[in-house]
Amino acid sequence: MQVQAAAMANFSPLLLTTIWLVLVICKGVESGHSSAVGDPGMITDGLRIALEAWNFCNEVGEEAPGMGSPRAADCFHLSDSSLTHKVTESDNKLGVGKTFPGLSPKAKNNPDLYAVEKELYLGSLCEVDDTPRPWQFWMIMLKNGNYDTKSGLCPENGKKVPPFNPGRFPCFGKGCMNQPILYHQPTSLLADDIMRGGFNGTYDLGSSTGGSSSFFEVLWEKKVGTGGWVFQHKLRTSKLYPWLMLYLRADATKGFSGGYHYDTRGMLKTLPESPNFKVKLTLDVKRGGGPKSQFYLIDIGSCWKNNGAPCDGDVLTDITRYSEMIINPETPAWCSPTNIGNCPPFHITPNNTKIYRNDTSHFPYSAYHYYCAPGNAEHLEKPYSTCDPYSNPQAQELVQLLPHPIWADYGYPTKQGDGWVGDGRTWELDVGALSSRLYFYQSLLFLAAGSRYTSC
């Protein structure tokens, strides 16, 4: 599974945030508390950070001119008041046709496969030995929400489909699914022992990053020997790119990440299993993006099949499952007594009482923005809504939450505006307890079913 903190998505003119992902904890009944991440509290002076960019269906498709494959990393050791970088700019610029250690012949000229293997290569350069397994880096994820339906690039619930006429998907024409221009400011040691670095860029090829062009930026900063790394995120959409996403993720150090069908690298050396894990993070939203913008306090992604079996990379039967807490107070509840097809079939209280969505006196409709079922589900309870079949390599299922008193027992926001602009705070979220009580189609009510194959 993967933990994605402070996701910024969908038609946002400008979003600015400061993020400090403090800790991911696994709670063992006998062993007490232990960290699942390689760098709990983000306190290690030698930062490990990487960046990945995707098109609409979590592939690359085509590299941006002169940028190489959209994978990059900034990993270093600090010793004797100097930084020793583990990844060179030549490594970051590697693109199709260029070789590197471990690159397979089949991936050399395939943009999708090349990015997969480049991530593994960058991970090997950044890797830190640890128990129970080595870890590599935090992950910044960018995604372009444009979909050229005439391209035939995206499968439908994992199944290859031919091109079709445009509909509700944004696209200005051929090339709209492009990868971004990426600029890197390698982490450097400045005055007063401040370390600072960053990535930024635009999706508007040939455009500057000013004016009305799309823009993204992630900066990180830390004082040597003090506190933790603070990440500052900015995201701006444009007329040509009205749907962009920016995440800070903790992925599995090995195995599948939620939404992907290949081996990934990340920060989680232990995969949390519901109900026994918590996430602690500090978040300060500086500016919002308006009513058409979603902003996730946290997004948990995992993967298992409809029969409860773990995912194995078969995109026809694997299903990515997401639970997302949206804290933009301008995001309404699509789930309502008159639109129960946008609600999960039932809600489970902290004391494990089921409340069905047709119980209009008790079901907490305003606690759910939207629920959609996987497109390959075979026994759905009517009425129902199925998730977008194209934006993942396989079918997906979403449980999107809104602040509501019903989530108080788990430490989640309880009212609109909690955690939003002017309300920066540190959250300790009992994600495992909550996720074990969320509805998932034909699930075992156990978010981590198949979690050893997923990332968090």
Side-chain angles (χ1 to χ4, degrees), residues 221-292:
E221 182 177 300
K222 183 184 184 298
K223 187 176 178 65
V224 174
T226 303
W229 289 94
V230 175
F231 284 75
Q232 299 179 27
H233 287 215
K234 295 180 182 179
L235 181 67
R236 181 178 63 218
T237 58
S238 67
K239 181 179 180 180
L240 295 182
Y241 298 90
W243 183 2
L244 299 175
M245 301 183 184
L246 176 63
Y247 298 81
L248 179 63
R249 298 164 51 113
D251 290 330
T253 62
K254 187 175 179 60
F256 299 158
S257 291
Y260 309 146
H261 54 105
Y262 62 85
D263 196 20
T264 61
R265 294 293 179 265
M267 183 55 64
L268 287 180
K269 59 183 182 179
T270 301
L271 291 179
E273 293 187 8
S274 297
N276 296 317
F277 73 96
K278 296 182 179 180
V279 177
K280 188 176 181 181
L281 62 92
T282 296
L283 176 66
D284 186 7
V285 182
K286 301 296 186 181
R287 182 176 172 183
K292 293 184 178 180

Side-chain angles (χ1 to χ4, degrees), residues 157-158 256 260-262 302-306 309-321 374 376 393-396 453:
N157 293 317
F256 299 158
Y260 309 146
H261 54 105
Y262 62 85
S302 193
C303 190
W304 66 90
K305 299 177 186 293
N306 281 332
C311 289
D312 56 11
D314 181 354
V315 294
L316 294 177
T317 56
D318 286 355
I319 301 174
T320 305
R321 324 272 178 157
N376 61 1
Q394 60 256 4
Q396 59 179 323
Y453 292 96

Side-chain angles (χ1 to χ4, degrees), residues 6 15 26 31 34 53 64 75 81 108 125 151 163 179 209 262 273 281 322 334 336 342 344 364 405 409 415 434:
L15 289 158
C26 287
S31 61
S34 62
C75 306
S81 298
K108 186 176 181 181
L125 299 177
S151 68
Q179 295 299 323
T209 55
Y262 62 85
E273 293 187 8
L281 62 92
Y322 298 108
W334 291 355
S336 71
N342 291 334
D409 284 8
K415 64 180 184 299
L434 173 60

Side-chain angles (χ1 to χ4, degrees), residues 277-407:
F277 73 96
K278 296 182 179 180
V279 177
K280 188 176 181 181
L281 62 92
T282 296
L283 176 66
D284 186 7
V285 182
K286 301 296 186 181
R287 182 176 172 183
K292 293 184 178 180
S293 166
Q294 292 185 356
F295 190 107
Y296 308 144
L297 170 66
I298 193 165
D299 179 331
I300 304 295
S302 193
C303 190
W304 66 90
K305 299 177 186 293
N306 281 332
N307 62 5
C311 289
D312 56 11
D314 181 354
V315 294
L316 294 177
T317 56
D318 286 355
I319 301 174
T320 305
R321 324 272 178 157
Y322 298 108
S323 66
E324 303 161 340
M325 168 57 74
I326 302 172
I327 60 172
N328 179 358
E330 297 184 78
T331 301
W334 291 355
C335 164
S336 71
T338 56
N339 285 293
I340 63 173
N342 291 334
C343 311
F346 53 81
H347 171 83
I348 305 175
T349 67
N351 66 1
N352 295 319
T353 299
K354 285 185 180 180
I355 304 174
Y356 289 88
R357 61 185 178 179
N358 60 359
D359 184 348
T360 56
S361 298
H362 300 99
F363 189 91
Y365 299 101
S366 59
Y368 293 92
H369 168 61
Y370 180 53
Y371 167 79
C372 57
N376 61 1
E378 296 179 350
H379 306 288
L380 289 172
E381 181 179 338
K382 295 180 180 180
Y384 58 82
S385 177
T386 54
C387 297
D388 165 35
Y390 305 106
S391 61
N392 272 221
Q394 60 256 4
Q396 59 179 323
E397 180 177 23
L398 297 176
V399 185
Q400 295 186 314
L401 312 177
L402 295 173
H404 191 279
I406 201 72
W407 310 127

Side-chain angles (χ1 to χ4, degrees), residues 86-87 261:
K86 311 294 289 183
V87 179
H261 54 105

Side-chain angles (χ1 to χ4, degrees), residues 47 163 188 434:
L47 181 66
S188 58
L434 173 60

Side-chain angles (χ1 to χ4, degrees), residues 21-201:
L21 188 57
V22 181
L23 191 59
V24 180
I25 305 173
C26 287
K27 291 194 304 181
V29 176
E30 298 178 354
S31 61
H33 295 181
S34 62
S35 177
V37 300
D39 182 17
M42 288 183 166
I43 61 174
T44 302
D45 283 341
L47 181 66
R48 298 290 188 270
I49 186 76
L51 179 143
E52 61 179 1
W54 297 105
N55 66 19
F56 184 73
C57 46
N58 291 4
E59 300 289 2
V60 173
E62 185 176 327
E63 298 173 0
M67 293 293 105
S69 181
R71 300 292 182 275
D74 190 320
C75 306
F76 59 86
H77 289 308
L78 175 67
S79 60
D80 299 326
S81 298
S82 65
L83 300 181
T84 303
H85 281 269
K86 311 294 289 183
V87 179
T88 68
E89 289 309 284
S90 294
D91 293 324
N92 283 332
K93 289 293 187 181
L94 287 168
V96 288
K98 297 180 179 179
T99 60
F100 56 81
L103 179 65
S104 68
K106 68 178 182 179
K108 186 176 181 181
N109 294 299
N110 182 312
D112 296 331
L113 298 180
Y114 191 95
V116 170
E117 296 193 13
K118 182 180 177 182
E119 180 178 327
L120 302 185
Y121 172 63
L122 295 176
S124 71
L125 299 177
C126 297
E127 191 163 277
V128 176
D129 192 26
D130 206 345
T131 302
R133 62 176 60 89
W135 47 274
Q136 296 85 28
F137 33 56
W138 302 98
M139 182 65 80
I140 298 161
M141 190 195 88
L142 283 161
K143 183 168 180 175
N144 174 2
N146 284 355
Y147 179 28
D148 181 2
T149 63
K150 295 182 178 181
S151 68
L153 287 175
C154 294
E156 181 181 297
N157 293 317
K159 189 181 304 181
K160 186 71 174 176
V161 292
F164 57 95
N165 290 327
R168 60 187 177 87
F169 299 102
C171 181
F172 55 78
K174 184 175 175 58
C176 70
M177 297 174 70
N178 62 277
Q179 295 299 323
I181 295 172
L182 176 67
Y183 301 99
H184 178 212
Q185 297 77 47
T187 308
S188 58
L189 185 59
L190 308 175
D192 299 324
D193 285 338
I194 297 296
M195 297 178 289
R196 184 181 299 135
F199 290 111
N200 67 75

